[in-house]
């Protein structure tokens, strides 16, 4: 449920829980009060009767008062009028001070809650979307984020409706969920609608017809009923209806739960005359507030075709701009003239590009010169399809006379935009300047917004980031002044692109969420795709690859449905994600498709990144083709795109072993990145520089700077990748090697596949597990027992690993391995054989120097931890780093590192072989470290108020040390503090039993 534990009531003694049937009120209360002293009263409660759960109820002598706290639960409390509520409140006031009360009802409390009371309503109990997805997957075997979102949208998180949807979806589909005869239909009709008062049912029927509404729209007479429906969960908060962008002040919009509305509208439909009157009244209300899209929709639903078309002629452009394109499409179907032109624009905004062309193309047939309004609309359609030659041709036909009208300014702005897309700096600059002059002469905010966007695009193309920011700021201000949601969403999406170019990934992620929401509300398909691609890139940089892939796939689907060549943008970001995951074939396919789509008509902004990605993905398998792709990317690159193209040239050279060419490319890429303030490009140029040199000092210097740059951007996977490279350098410090191991684990957890840099082959990866069961893994394949051929070779490795890189004298090894043999010569031979066997197991192909894993001196042997992934070393290192972070007062980072250490501790050192005396010191060290780590995690959890997590860690300590007195006391105290007195009493009993086994009493112990 949304509230898994009892809300913190602090000094309040009463909790009132009100929601419609099916919100799980009683179930929640029972789960909250499990283990507590509870008296239940039913629906037949007399508010004037005796509520006291016991006339002689007093704290028991000698017991902690907290342990006798009593709860009174009045379940299914009937709806109360004001007098009955006052009487009940008086009775509650006279209850014993140790009695706390929960009242559960299907109706809100009438008027103001009594003093000392808290309240929860349906919105507090509704399930969030992630929980809906979990229930559908775990309970009913239906999965998928899109399905979870759809069910959440239909049910608004109403728990019973979610479960009914899950059962239905096992065999049915979403479209039939609310159909007559379904379980959901029956539940809503019998349990929700039938018991409602007449006024509530009447208002629900009206809301089901209108959709989104507010108090002012439904009328003063129904305000109280609307609030009642809202508190009980039948009506929920809603987004503003399409076309209301910029409305001020913005009302509090509401809508009935869609599944409920579907059943209510079918079961009790409004009579046709009442329905028409309802929509006519709504049309008047919306028109008074200049929400023309909704006014037109309501007029149409009222049957007023003439009035609808009149609104379209007068305000159609404003309706499209404010996000009402769908209303225009429906209202203007079959209309010609200016309304046909308007409908073509609306079709383009919603992504129905083929239909838009079919609407607009006949209007230019046989004409060399056309009106500017027709030219820019047709050019915008071709631009959205990424058909730039056709877009330029359509825009050139536009007639410009004095360049002082809105349509002329928009024509010039779109012309500049198309030239920006193909990288034509001069043409873009000329038309952007003319557009701004024309928009200023026209004095139209919408035209000024478009002109400043054109100027911002040219500034980006020429590398003037200050001018780019200035013009976008002005553009957004003009768009908002014009109530132009379509341009505002385009600007917001472009601003996120700017954040990505500056490698400000957390800010880009936050901005992309707003941009996606705004584009969806405006119905702007092209801006939505840009926002989704931007969001995918930000998510990928921040290490959330699954979400990034879903965003990219959604953008791709929208573009493909629209028939747009701009699908290349989504394909490129999908190629980037799949390349990061090591899915080389899938990445190559995505890049190749992106190159084909972008090259069709010169989408340079995407053509260059797609070529660069393709060059890098084929570099190892086809160096010649990779070089051709990279050089072609450089030839087509301009502005900030040059950095990515030059990096591709460099990485292709690294793969081919051409260090001079790689160094030259790194130099040029670094210059380009600095010129365009591209921090990500700069960091990668430094990585390229490190890969292009064989001097360890130069490698270290470049990688250290790259690591700092990536960390500053928040690009988690990139920072981890560089940390892994730093830890692999010769002479890396112990701390760098630990950071590399942590980074490798984080990369693997995110699904990133680490690949070798350059042509040299990687040495075998050796992992040794000593926590719990001893195991050796070479190249991710466990070494079977039969491979060892000698138990002594295996024991030799265990001893060396336990010494953690310290030298062990040959005499000591002989005494440990062959304690009963006194023949020194024979023992020396045996040790040599065991060492040889060990080396053959760790490096079966003899590819590495003999002392790569085990260094052998005349007098001693030592394992080299730098070349081994030993879980014990990682665990101890994580514990040390976690404690240091805690001391530095960085609790979130400390918790992440310490939790990783706690999970890594699979058991005591060599737990499968516990009788070797030489293992005792390291075993005790690791065990003590584990207990210290776990206790600190419990402390951190308790500090955050997370009782369950804190108690969980303390119980893990008790599982390993049942006699830890302070741990027993902490468990008991935490449970009591959380009000979980039954659990606290049981914890106290376990404590007392443990102390009795030691011959001590719990009281004496503490």
């Amino acid at each position: 449920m949304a509230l898994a534990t009892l809300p913190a009531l602090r000094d309040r003694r009463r909790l009132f829980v009100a929601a419609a049937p099916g919100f799980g009120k009683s179930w929640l209360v029972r789960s909250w009060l499990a283990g507590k002293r509870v008296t239940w009263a039913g629906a037949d409660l007399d508010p004037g009767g005796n509520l006291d759960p016991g006339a002689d109820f007093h704290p028991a002598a000698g017991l902690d008062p907290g342990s006798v706290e009593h709860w009174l639960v009045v379940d299914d409390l009937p709806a109360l009028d004001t007098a009955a509520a006052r009487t009940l409140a008086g009775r509650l006031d006279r209850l014993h001070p140790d009695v706390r009360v929960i009242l559960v009802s299907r109706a809100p409390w009438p008027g103001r809650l009594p003093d000392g009371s808290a309240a929860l309503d349906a919105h507090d109990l509704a399930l969030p979307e992630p929980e809906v997805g979990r229930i559908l997957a775990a309970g009913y075997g239906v999965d998928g984020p899109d399905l979870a979102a759809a069910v959440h949208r239909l049910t608004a998180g109403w728990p019973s409706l979610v479960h009914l949807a899950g059962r239905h979806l096992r065999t049915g589909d979403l479209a039939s969920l609310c159909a007559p005869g379904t379980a959901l239909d029956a539940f809503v009709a019998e349990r929700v609608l039938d018991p409602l008062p007449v006024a509530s049912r009447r208002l629900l029927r009206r809301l089901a017809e209108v959709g989104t509404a507010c108090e002012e729209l439904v009328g003063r007479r129904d305000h109280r009923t609307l609030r009642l429906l809202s508190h009980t969960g039948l009506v929920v908060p809603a987004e503003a209806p399409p076309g209301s962008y910029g409305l001020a002040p913005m009302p509090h919009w509401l809508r009935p739960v869609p599944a409920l509305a579907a059943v209510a509208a079918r079961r009790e439909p409004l009579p046709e005359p009442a329905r028409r009157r309802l929509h006519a009244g709504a049309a008047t209300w919306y028109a008074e507030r200049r929400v023309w899209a909704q006014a037109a929709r309501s007029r149409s639903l009222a049957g007023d075709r003439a009035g609808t078309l009149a609104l379209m002629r007068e305000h159609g452009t404003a309706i499209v701009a404010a996000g009402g394109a769908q209303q225009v499409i429906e209202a203007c179907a079959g209309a010609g003239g200016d309304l046909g032109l308007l409908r073509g624009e609306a079709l383009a905004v919603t992504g129905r590009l083929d239909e838009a062309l079919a609407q607009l193309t006949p209007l230019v047939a046989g004409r060399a010169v056309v009106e500017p309004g027709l030219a820019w609309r047709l050019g915008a359609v071709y631009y959205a399809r990424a058909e730039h030659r056709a877009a330029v041709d359509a825009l050139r036909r536009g007639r410009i006379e004095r360049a002082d009208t809105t349509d002329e300014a928009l024509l010039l702005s779109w012309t500049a935009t198309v030239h920006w897309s193909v990288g034509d700096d001069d043409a873009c600059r000329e038309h952007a300047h003319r557009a701004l002059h024309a928009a200023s002469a026209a004095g139209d905010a919408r035209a000024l917004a478009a002109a400043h966007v054109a100027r911002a695009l040219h500034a980006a193309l020429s590398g003037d980031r200050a001018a780019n920011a200035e013009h976008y700021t002005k553009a957004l201000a003009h768009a908002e002044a014009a109530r132009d949601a379509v341009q505002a969403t385009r600007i917001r999406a472009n601003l996120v692109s700017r954040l990505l170019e500056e490698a400000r990934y957390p800010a880009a992620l936050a901005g992309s969420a707003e941009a996606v929401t705004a584009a969806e509300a405006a119905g702007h398909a092209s801006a939505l795709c840009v926002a989704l691609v931007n969001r995918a890139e930000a998510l990928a940089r921040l290490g959330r690859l699954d979400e990034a892939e879903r965003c990219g796939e959604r953008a791709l689907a929208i573009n493909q449905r629209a028939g747009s060549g701009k699908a290349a943008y989504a394909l490129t970001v999908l190629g980037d994600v799949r390349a990061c995951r090591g899915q080389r074939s899938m990445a190559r396919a995505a890049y190749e498709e992106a190159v084909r789509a972008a090259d069709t008509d010169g989408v340079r902004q995407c053509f260059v990144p797609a070529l660069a990605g393709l060059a890098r993905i084929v570099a190892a398998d086809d160096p010649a083709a990779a070089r051709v792709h990279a050089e072609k990317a450089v030839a087509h690159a301009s502005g900030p795109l040059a950095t990515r193209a030059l990096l591709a040239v460099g990485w292709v050279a690294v793969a081919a072993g051409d260090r001079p060419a790689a160094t030259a490319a790194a130099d040029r890429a670094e210059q380009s990145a600095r010129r365009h303030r591209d921090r990500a490009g700069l960091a990668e140029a430094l990585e390229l520089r490190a890969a292009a040199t064989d001097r360890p000092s130069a490698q270290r210097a470049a990688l250290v700077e790259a690591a700092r740059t990536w960390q500053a951007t928040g690009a988690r996977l990139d920072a981890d990748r560089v940390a892994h490279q730093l830890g692999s350098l010769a002479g890396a410090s112990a701390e760098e090697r630990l950071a590399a191991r942590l980074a490798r684990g984080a990369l693997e957890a995110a699904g990133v596949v680490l690949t070798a840099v350059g042509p040299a082959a990687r040495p075998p990866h050796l992992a040794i597990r000593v926590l719990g069961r001893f195991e050796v893994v070479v190249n991710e394949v466990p070494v079977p027992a039969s491979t060892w051929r000698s138990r002594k070779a295996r024991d030799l490795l265990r001893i060396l690993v336990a010494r953690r890189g310290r030298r062990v004298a040959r005499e000591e090894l002989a005494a440990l391995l062959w304690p009963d043999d006194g023949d020194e010569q024979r023992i020396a031979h045996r040790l040599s054989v065991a060492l040889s066997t060990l080396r053959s197991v760790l490096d079966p192909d003899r590819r590495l120097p003999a002392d790569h894993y085990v260094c052998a001196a005349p007098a001693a042997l030592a394992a080299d931890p730098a070349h081994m992934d030993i879980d014990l070393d990682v665990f101890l290192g994580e514990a040390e780093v976690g404690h240091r972070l805690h001391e530095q007062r960085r609790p979130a980072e400390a918790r992440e590192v310490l939790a990783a250490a706690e999970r890594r501790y699979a058991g005591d050192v060599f737990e499968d072989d516990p009788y070797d005396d030489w293992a005792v010191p390291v075993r005790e060290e690791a065990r003590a470290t584990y207990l210290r780590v776990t206790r600190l995690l419990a402390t951190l959890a308790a500090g955050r108020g997370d009782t369950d997590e804190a108690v969980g860690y303390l119980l893990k300590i008790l599982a390993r040390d049942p006699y830890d007195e302070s741990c027993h006391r902490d468990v008991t105290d935490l449970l009591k503090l959380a009000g979980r007195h039954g659990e606290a009493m049981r914890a106290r009993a376990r404590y007392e039993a443990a102390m009795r086994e030691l011959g001590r009493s719990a009281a004496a112990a503490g």
Side-chain angles (χ1 to χ4, degrees):
M1 305 297 288
L3 293 169
T5 58
L6 180 66
L9 300 180
R10 296 183 176 87
D11 57 344
R12 299 183 183 184
R13 295 175 52 223
R14 304 171 194 133
L15 176 64
F16 186 73
V17 184
F23 271 89
K25 302 179 292 296
S26 300
W27 183 91
L28 269 176
V29 172
R30 289 184 185 278
S31 68
W32 291 341
L33 302 184
K36 294 179 171 59
R37 295 183 60 191
V38 185
T39 297
W40 290 81
D44 55 351
L45 171 77
D46 175 8
N50 180 20
L51 288 176
D52 201 326
D56 299 324
F57 176 73
H58 296 285
L63 290 182
D64 182 346
S67 68
V68 295
E69 181 181 64
H70 200 119
W71 290 83
L72 170 64
V73 178
V74 181
D75 197 10
D76 207 11
L77 181 72
L80 303 175
D81 57 26
T82 304
R86 191 179 300 116
T87 301
L88 178 57
R91 298 299 300 165
L92 295 176
D93 286 339
R94 291 193 288 274
L95 288 175
H96 190 282
D98 287 315
V99 177
R100 307 185 87 178
V101 181
I102 298 181
L103 304 173
V104 182
S105 179
R106 298 182 182 186
W109 185 272
R112 184 171 175 271
L113 278 170
D115 292 340
S117 301
L120 297 174
D121 64 15
H123 304 300
D124 299 303
L125 306 183
L127 301 170
E129 185 179 315
E131 181 68 5
V132 170
R134 189 195 66 76
I135 288 172
L136 293 177
Y140 303 98
V142 291
D143 202 358
D146 293 339
L147 184 62
V151 170
H152 186 264
R153 189 164 52 248
L154 273 173
T155 64
W158 192 328
S160 284
L161 299 190
V162 170
H163 284 280
L164 289 168
R167 291 174 199 148
H168 177 83
L169 291 171
R170 282 173 168 170
T171 55
D173 58 17
L174 210 56
S176 60
L177 177 61
C178 305
T182 62
L184 188 145
D185 173 69
F187 173 85
V188 169
E190 297 166 13
R191 298 284 306 281
V192 181
L193 295 176
D194 289 350
L196 283 177
V198 172
S200 295
R201 289 208 308 274
R202 182 174 60 242
L203 179 56
L204 267 177
R205 289 200 304 272
R206 293 170 60 206
L207 290 174
E209 180 65 36
V210 173
T212 304
C214 62
E215 283 192 351
E216 192 177 348
L217 179 56
V218 301
R220 186 174 299 278
R221 186 183 65 179
D222 286 317
H223 282 190
R224 184 176 180 278
T225 303
L226 183 63
R227 290 169 188 163
L228 184 149
L229 294 174
S230 176
H231 284 303
T232 53
L234 280 66
V235 169
V236 295
E239 298 292 335
S244 58
Y245 180 80
L247 180 63
M250 182 66 74
H252 179 54
W253 297 104
L254 298 164
R255 65 180 173 89
V257 174
L260 175 70
V263 176
R266 186 178 62 252
R267 293 234 172 195
E268 299 182 73
L270 284 175
E272 187 60 24
R275 193 183 74 83
R276 288 177 179 267
R277 284 195 302 273
L278 174 65
H279 287 297
T284 300
W285 187 87
Y286 280 119
E288 289 171 352
R289 286 151 187 83
R290 300 172 59 82
V291 186
W292 305 118
Q294 292 303 308
R297 173 181 178 272
S298 296
R299 281 191 182 180
S300 178
L301 291 170
D304 183 2
R305 171 72 174 169
T308 303
L309 292 179
L311 268 179
M312 289 294 158
R313 289 189 180 93
E314 187 173 0
H315 302 291
T317 298
I319 291 173
V320 173
Q326 188 58 42
Q327 280 72 38
V328 170
I329 292 169
E330 294 168 2
C332 297
D338 289 345
L339 292 182
L341 191 66
L342 183 67
R343 188 170 188 269
E345 179 186 353
L347 286 165
V349 166
T350 57
R352 295 160 64 176
L353 302 181
D354 289 342
E355 295 175 72
L357 282 181
Q359 183 82 43
L360 297 175
T361 303
L363 302 179
V364 301
R367 301 170 63 191
V369 179
V370 300
E371 300 81 10
L374 173 56
W376 74 254
R377 287 177 171 89
L378 188 58
V381 174
Y382 283 120
Y383 171 75
R385 290 169 62 93
E387 297 177 11
H388 294 94
R389 295 184 184 88
V392 170
D393 180 64
L395 293 164
R396 281 175 178 165
R397 293 195 199 187
R399 181 176 60 249
I400 295 180
E401 296 176 346
R402 296 189 307 175
D404 59 359
T405 67
T406 297
D407 278 335
E408 287 174 321
L410 290 169
L411 173 60
L412 290 165
S413 296
W414 278 109
T415 305
T417 298
V418 172
H419 287 302
W420 162 82
S421 187
V422 297
D424 189 337
D425 189 304
D426 293 337
C428 178
R429 179 181 61 252
E430 176 196 348
H431 287 90
H433 279 279
R434 292 177 63 195
L436 187 54
H437 285 300
S440 300
D444 180 75
R446 185 181 178 214
L448 283 165
H452 280 292
V453 168
R455 291 289 300 273
L457 292 174
H458 173 258
L461 195 60
S462 60
D464 189 345
R465 302 200 69 81
N468 177 262
E470 177 189 354
H471 285 297
Y472 271 136
T473 300
K474 292 178 178 178
L476 187 57
H478 286 302
E480 290 176 341
R483 290 184 58 187
D484 191 340
V486 170
Q487 286 206 82
T489 55
R490 178 188 177 202
I491 294 163
R492 292 184 195 282
N494 288 356
L495 285 171
V496 176
S497 299
R498 188 173 184 276
L499 291 172
L500 289 169
E501 290 167 5
E502 295 175 354
R504 295 165 59 188
Y505 300 123
L509 183 63
S512 70
E514 296 174 3
V516 167
T517 300
E520 289 172 336
H524 193 350
S526 178
L528 177 57
C529 287
V530 174
L532 286 168
V533 169
N534 286 341
R535 185 163 180 79
E537 183 176 345
L539 286 164
R541 287 294 193 181
L542 294 171
R544 295 158 62 177
L545 298 182
D546 288 342
E547 296 171 79
E549 191 162 20
R550 287 197 294 270
C551 281
E553 287 173 344
R554 185 183 174 197
L556 178 61
I558 294 170
N559 272 315
Q560 288 177 333
R561 283 197 300 270
S564 171
K566 291 190 176 182
Y569 289 98
L571 286 163
T572 301
V573 80
L574 286 171
D576 292 343
V577 171
R578 289 162 184 170
C580 186
R581 284 179 157 160
Q583 298 169 328
R584 297 173 55 80
S585 296
M586 295 177 67
R588 179 173 183 171
Y591 286 135
E592 288 175 339
E593 190 176 351
V595 167
R596 285 193 297 271
D599 194 30
T600 302
D601 210 7
V603 190
R604 187 173 303 187
Q605 302 301 323
C606 188
F607 184 56
V608 171
L611 272 174
L614 181 59
R616 293 180 62 167
I617 206 71
V618 303
D621 302 325
D622 192 345
R627 186 166 53 254
V628 169
H629 296 319
E631 290 172 353
K632 189 173 183 180
V634 171
H636 285 79
S638 58
L641 292 176
T643 306
R644 187 159 181 175
L646 290 166
L647 287 169
V649 169
W651 288 116
V652 169
V654 168
D658 188 347
R659 294 184 184 276
T663 301
D667 290 339
R668 293 175 63 195
E670 186 174 338
Q671 292 170 5
S672 175
R674 292 188 189 283
R675 184 166 57 252
H676 295 99
R677 297 200 316 203
D678 179 359
R679 290 191 296 171
L682 179 59
E684 194 171 343
L686 290 164
E687 288 186 68
L688 176 58
R689 185 179 301 285
T693 181
D694 56 0
R695 292 188 298 115
S697 59
Q699 291 175 337
R700 176 176 301 282
L703 290 176
V704 166
E705 187 177 351
R708 290 172 181 162
T709 305
W710 284 126
Q711 288 164 1
T713 69
R716 174 184 159 190
L717 297 183
D718 297 288
D720 284 341
R721 183 186 64 248
V722 176
H724 181 262
Q725 293 175 41
L726 269 170
S728 302
L729 292 178
S733 67
E735 189 164 348
E736 286 173 334
R737 291 199 299 270
L738 169 62
R741 292 189 183 103
L742 293 174
R744 183 185 183 92
L747 291 167
E748 290 174 347
V752 175
V753 174
L754 291 166
T755 56
V757 176
R762 288 174 57 87
H765 176 252
L766 175 63
I768 299 178
R769 306 291 174 246
V770 303
L771 295 173
R773 186 170 62 89
F774 176 69
E775 185 177 45
V776 176
V777 181
V778 177
N779 285 332
E780 302 182 2
V781 178
V783 175
S786 58
T787 302
W788 287 98
R789 301 192 308 276
S790 166
R791 167 79 186 198
K792 298 302 181 181
R794 181 174 177 274
D795 288 344
L796 174 60
L797 178 60
R798 294 168 68 232
I799 294 169
L800 295 176
V801 167
R803 296 299 174 90
R804 304 188 59 215
R806 293 189 295 272
R807 292 157 60 91
V808 186
R810 289 179 181 265
E811 291 82 359
E812 184 180 355
L813 288 171
L816 292 174
L817 293 170
W818 297 279
D820 299 325
D821 193 334
D823 188 330
E824 294 182 5
Q825 188 173 359
R826 182 167 58 246
I827 291 175
H829 175 70
R830 286 180 174 180
L831 184 57
S832 296
V833 172
L835 176 59
S836 177
T837 302
L838 172 58
R839 285 171 167 167
S840 68
V841 170
L842 302 184
D843 183 18
D845 298 325
R846 304 285 184 177
R847 295 166 52 195
L848 302 170
D851 61 352
H852 185 77
Y853 293 125
V854 178
C855 302
L861 304 181
D864 187 350
H867 295 145
M868 300 177 178
D869 180 3
I870 303 172
D871 60 351
L872 173 63
D873 289 348
V874 178
F875 165 73
L876 294 172
E878 287 172 333
E880 180 183 347
V881 172
H883 278 84
R884 190 185 312 139
L885 290 169
H886 176 62
E887 291 168 358
Q888 295 169 354
R889 298 188 178 182
R890 296 159 64 183
E893 297 169 79
R895 179 192 175 211
E896 182 178 352
V897 175
L898 291 169
E902 193 279 328
R903 289 192 300 271
R904 194 177 303 280
Y905 196 83
D908 289 339
V909 174
F910 301 126
E911 196 170 65
D912 55 342
D913 221 340
Y915 303 112
D916 293 313
D917 292 340
W918 54 262
V920 171
V922 71
R923 182 180 296 131
E924 291 301 322
E925 178 190 2
R927 182 186 178 90
T929 300
Y930 172 77
L931 296 175
R932 190 167 66 253
V933 163
T934 311
R935 182 172 289 282
L936 181 50
L937 283 167
T939 302
L940 291 170
R944 296 194 316 275
D946 192 333
T947 301
D948 287 335
E949 184 175 315
V951 169
Y953 282 126
L954 292 171
L955 292 177
K956 287 185 176 183
I957 294 174
L958 291 175
R960 294 189 177 274
D961 184 0
Y963 305 108
D964 187 321
E965 298 173 18
S966 63
C967 193
H968 276 294
R969 289 196 300 270
D970 287 346
V971 170
T972 304
D973 292 345
L974 278 170
L975 292 170
K976 286 171 63 176
L977 187 63
R980 294 156 63 171
H981 299 291
E983 294 176 70
M985 291 175 67
R986 291 192 290 274
R988 177 77 180 187
R990 290 193 298 271
Y991 175 25
E992 292 171 349
M995 293 303 100
R996 280 196 300 271
E997 291 181 25
L998 295 177
R1000 305 179 63 190
S1001 69

